[in-house]
């Protein structure tokens, strides 16, 4: 899989842009505020259906314009796919796959699959549970649009249950009204948690192998899902159903649902100790790097082709040994990498993009 070309119109600071990418390493350099990150943001928008930088779609529009367009072409094993995104003045976001409008966001997922690595991803280890849930759900949705639909259905049911918890203050009355929502919530939770556990199981082995490689066998990484017990979706559903009933009084006091996949977590243990508490900053960086390489391997196994790999202003966060390991492990993958400067030469041919004031100069550098 590779991105062949990208076209932008009124996107961030670009009034117009058309570039072709190399199928190997693409170095995108420039000072801050010139537009280098905007290029890879448009690529990730096509993969994730949203920006990895902002939750406000209007932020991606060039100020003073009617709307923005981001379009790219992906080369797949089965043929080329074009993905076009438009955002109008009402900030309505529309996707087109090969000129056909996507009726649901789930139809967009899977056409372009990308591993995204930015400094903010260090929060996957050091941040709160929400960061880790987001990491799981984003990855799984890229592989399965149906999983994305599941999470959306769950959110809608959760909203209705939380409304009841706030409105009805008599427990006996609440029990008669909340059961229908509990049943739906537990059923969807069983499917979501089972899918997440499967994903964590798949990613654990390659992440640990990469961690050992980075640390020269000094560190052992264990990843585990923290949530409802159970091996099958049905067992998990029954566990969640029981917990919803047992926690009803507490949920009434809180005014929201306190258990379920929206509250679950992922635990990273390095040499048997909680990485969030005991791992050094360097070790936490290594864990995230191992996680990203593992994502790539899982994606490749599931799809039968490599995803693209996007490193957004993160290379300077890694020391020279991790930089070297990164390039060794990304061999044969299309890489889009942004940075203010690159003080190294890849050991293979690459494309250099120099960005200044939303203007891009391109140079092919042979090995």
């Amino acid at each position: 899989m590779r991105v062949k070309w990208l076209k932008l119109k009124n996107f961030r600071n670009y009034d117009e842009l058309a570039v072709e990418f190399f199928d190997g390493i693409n170095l995108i350099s420039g000072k801050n505020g010139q537009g280098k990150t905007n290029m890879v943001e448009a690529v990730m928008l096509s993969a994730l259906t949203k920006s990895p930088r902002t939750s406000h779609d209007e932020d991606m529009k060039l100020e003073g314009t009617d709307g923005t367009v981001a379009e790219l072409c992906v080369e797949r094993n089965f043929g080329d796919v074009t993905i076009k995104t438009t955002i109008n003045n009402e900030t309505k976001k529309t996707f087109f796959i090969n000129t056909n409008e996507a009726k649901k966001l789930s139809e967009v997922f899977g056409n372009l699959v990308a591993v995204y690595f930015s400094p903010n991803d260090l929060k996957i280890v050091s941040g709160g549970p929400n960061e880790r849930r987001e990491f799981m759900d984003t990855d799984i949705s890229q592989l399965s649009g149906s999983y994305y639909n599941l999470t959306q259905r769950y959110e809608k049911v959760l909203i209705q249950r939380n409304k009841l918890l706030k409105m009805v203050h008599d427990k006996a009355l609440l029990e008669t009204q909340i059961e229908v929502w509990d049943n739906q919530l537990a059923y969807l939770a069983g499917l979501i948690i089972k899918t997440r556990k499967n994903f964590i199981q798949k990613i654990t082995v390659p992440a640990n192998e990469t961690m050992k490689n980075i640390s020269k066998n000094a560190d052992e990484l264990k990843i585990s899902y923290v949530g409802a017990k159970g091996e099958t979706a049905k067992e998990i559903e029954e566990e969640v159903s029981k917990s919803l009933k047992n926690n009803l009084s507490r949920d009434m006091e809180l005014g929201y649902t306190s258990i379920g996949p929206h509250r679950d977590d992922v635990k990273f243990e390095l040499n048997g100790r909680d990485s969030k508490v005991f791992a050094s900053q360097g070790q936490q960086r290594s864990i995230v790097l191992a996680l990203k390489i593992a994502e790539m391997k899982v994606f490749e196994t599931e799809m039968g082709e490599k995803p693209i790999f996007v490193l957004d202003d993160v290379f300077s966060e890694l020391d020279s040994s991790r930089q070297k390991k990164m390039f060794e492990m990304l061999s044969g993958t299309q890489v889009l990498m942004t940075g203010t400067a690159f003080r190294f030469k890849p050991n293979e041919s690459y494309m250099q993009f120099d960005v200044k004031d939303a203007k891009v100069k391109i140079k092919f550098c042979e090995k």
Side-chain angles (χ1 to χ4, degrees), residues 45-264:
L45 172 64
S46 302
L48 306 180
T49 74
K50 61 183 179 181
S51 167
R53 302 168 63 196
T54 179
S55 58
H56 304 291
D57 291 337
E58 61 267 26
D59 293 346
M60 290 181 278
K61 295 195 315 180
L62 179 63
E63 191 174 348
T65 60
D66 293 335
T68 187
V69 179
E71 185 176 9
L72 55 73
C73 178
V74 189
E75 185 182 88
R76 300 292 305 269
N77 284 345
F78 53 79
D80 290 357
V81 180
T82 60
I83 307 170
K84 181 179 179 180
T85 311
T86 64
I87 303 172
N88 65 17
N89 262 348
E90 287 71 46
T91 66
K92 181 188 176 186
K93 187 166 54 181
T94 308
F95 292 90
F96 298 86
I97 309 298
N98 292 333
T99 72
N100 298 313
E101 183 178 344
K103 302 302 181 185
K104 298 179 180 178
L105 287 181
S106 58
E107 296 174 16
V108 183
F109 289 112
N111 291 289
L112 169 62
V113 178
V115 177
Y116 180 73
F117 190 7
S118 76
N120 197 51
D121 284 315
L122 297 175
K123 292 180 182 177
I124 294 174
V125 176
S126 63
N130 186 58
E131 308 284 346
R132 292 178 281 280
R133 291 192 296 268
E134 178 74 12
F135 139 71
M136 280 188 296
D137 289 345
T138 298
D139 274 12
I140 300 170
S141 293
Q142 285 200 77
L143 293 171
S144 171
S146 60
Y147 176 80
Y148 174 80
N149 287 336
L150 267 181
T151 61
Q152 297 306 296
R153 286 170 59 193
Y154 181 88
E155 285 297 323
K156 289 176 181 177
V157 175
L158 182 64
I159 288 169
Q160 294 303 318
R161 187 179 194 271
N162 287 344
K163 279 184 179 178
L164 267 182
L165 289 170
K166 289 182 174 71
M167 290 169 54
V168 182
H169 303 291
D170 181 271
K171 187 177 180 182
L173 179 61
L174 181 62
E175 286 175 335
T176 64
Q177 297 182 13
I178 209 167
E179 184 177 6
V180 63
W181 300 114
D182 281 3
N183 291 340
Q184 290 184 57
L185 207 67
Y187 170 72
L188 293 169
L191 297 174
I192 290 170
I193 293 172
K194 175 58 179 172
T195 306
R196 285 179 176 177
K197 285 184 174 183
N198 286 346
F199 175 73
I200 293 299
Q201 190 174 28
K202 289 174 184 175
I203 213 166
T204 296
V205 172
N208 186 40
E209 288 174 350
T210 304
M211 192 68 198
K212 286 181 176 179
N213 189 355
I214 294 169
S215 67
K216 298 178 181 178
N217 290 316
D219 293 322
E220 184 97 17
L221 177 63
K222 180 183 176 184
I223 309 173
S224 53
Y225 188 83
V226 182
K229 302 291 189 291
E231 295 299 318
T232 67
K234 187 64 179 176
E235 289 173 355
I236 296 168
E237 177 187 349
E238 290 170 354
E239 178 73 16
V240 171
S241 180
K242 189 189 305 179
S243 295
L244 287 171
K245 288 180 174 62
N246 292 340
N247 283 273
L248 183 58
S249 295
R250 180 168 179 261
D251 288 354
M252 287 180 69
E253 292 178 11
L254 294 171
Y256 61 82
T257 306
S258 60
I259 65 101
H262 64 291
R263 305 285 293 179
D264 290 351

